[in-house]
Amino acid sequence: DKQFRTHPLLGKFCSRMFYDPYGEHYESPRGPEEFAHNLPGIENKAAIWIDIPNAKGKEKRLFEGSWVREVEADCIVEKMLSFVKAQAKEPAGKKLSFGVISFYRGQANLIQEKLDNHNLKDVSYKVGTVDAFQGMEFDVVFLSVVRTNKKANFGFLTSFNRMCVSMSRQKKALIVVGDAEFATTEEARKRDAIPALAEFY
């Protein structure tokens, strides 16, 4: 009935959204001061949403059926590189680990390709789909939503288990990158696991 891995704000959020409905509530007894990260631009916050409206770039369906949204990929890469730069002078044991999660293989591949263009061999990070992150943990997690079309099928975003995993891998900070308007509409709130995104926002 307790979790010790993640910041209490995020622990309470995950308990409320994913466990309380099944009578499996848990508490987060560690204090927020134990999860300080001092990363630039997010002021030690544990929950961050970077809003990228639909007008700045839509999602695109790949030939093989997966989805990508390049404007989100660029944002995540830029932000992660700024964090890595800020951490450069920290000793090895103090440097943070990063996870980059998407619900779509195409988006994960796109982000990985962009990160491969930079020298990150000394950085502890992993990019992948939600299914590859089961049981893993990172100091900071980026979650790329990808979808923006409110009239389309919401696809993998409606998987309750995947949403739970994607929002519970972090220790210090969870950074969601996506179109806030898409995630907070009445239609989104009614669609299975999507309400978790609206509540997080």
Side-chain angles (χ1 to χ4, degrees):
D1 61 353
K2 293 179 175 61
Q3 74 82 26
F4 298 90
R5 179 179 69 225
T6 191
H7 189 289
L9 178 69
L10 298 170
K12 289 174 183 177
F13 167 79
C14 287
S15 179
R16 180 164 57 90
M17 296 307 301
F18 302 114
Y19 291 87
D20 288 13
Y22 299 98
E24 298 179 2
H25 177 81
Y26 61 72
E27 295 293 329
S28 301
R30 295 175 66 189
E33 68 281 355
E34 297 184 53
F35 297 90
H37 51 68
N38 298 314
L39 292 171
I42 58 175
E43 299 139 352
N44 263 323
K45 292 177 181 176
I48 300 99
W49 187 296
I50 300 177
D51 183 26
I52 305 182
N54 180 285
K56 290 191 175 181
K58 297 179 171 61
E59 75 266 50
K60 175 183 176 183
R61 188 154 200 177
L62 300 177
F63 179 75
E64 63 269 25
S66 191
W67 293 87
V68 297
R69 190 178 185 215
E70 189 156 13
V71 66
E72 283 185 25
D74 289 336
C75 174
I76 289 170
V77 171
E78 179 183 359
K79 185 64 71 174
M80 184 171 149
L81 291 175
S82 75
F83 292 165
V84 168
K85 182 178 179 180
Q87 288 267 298
K89 295 182 180 179
E90 295 285 350
K94 295 285 187 179
K95 291 182 179 179
L96 301 180
S97 59
F98 301 92
V100 183
I101 302 176
S102 178
F103 297 94
Y104 302 97
R105 169 58 59 191
Q107 184 74 348
N109 289 344
L110 178 61
I111 294 169
Q112 183 65 67
E113 289 170 7
K114 290 178 179 291
L115 288 172
D116 285 344
N117 293 325
H118 302 274
N119 181 17
L120 296 176
K121 65 178 187 296
D122 296 326
V123 180
S124 175
Y125 79 97
K126 177 181 175 65
V127 181
T129 60
V130 177
D131 297 331
F133 280 77
Q134 181 73 44
M136 303 186 77
E137 62 182 33
F138 301 86
D139 292 308
V140 178
V141 168
F142 292 92
L143 175 58
S144 180
V145 178
V146 179
R147 307 303 294 275
T148 67
N149 185 350
K150 295 182 285 293
K151 296 181 180 179
N153 186 316
F154 288 10
F156 286 145
L157 294 181
T158 61
S159 169
F160 186 88
N161 290 341
R162 284 189 173 101
M163 189 65 73
C164 177
V165 170
S166 72
M167 303 189 86
S168 61
R169 301 302 93 199
Q170 72 290 323
K171 291 189 275 188
K172 297 175 182 289
L174 173 59
I175 304 172
V176 176
V177 181
D179 179 6
E181 184 180 1
F182 163 82
T184 57
T185 60
E186 273 305 305
E187 176 65 14
R189 287 179 180 275
K190 296 175 183 175
R191 297 286 282 276
D192 300 328
I194 297 291
L197 288 176
E199 288 299 312
F200 183 83
Y201 180 79

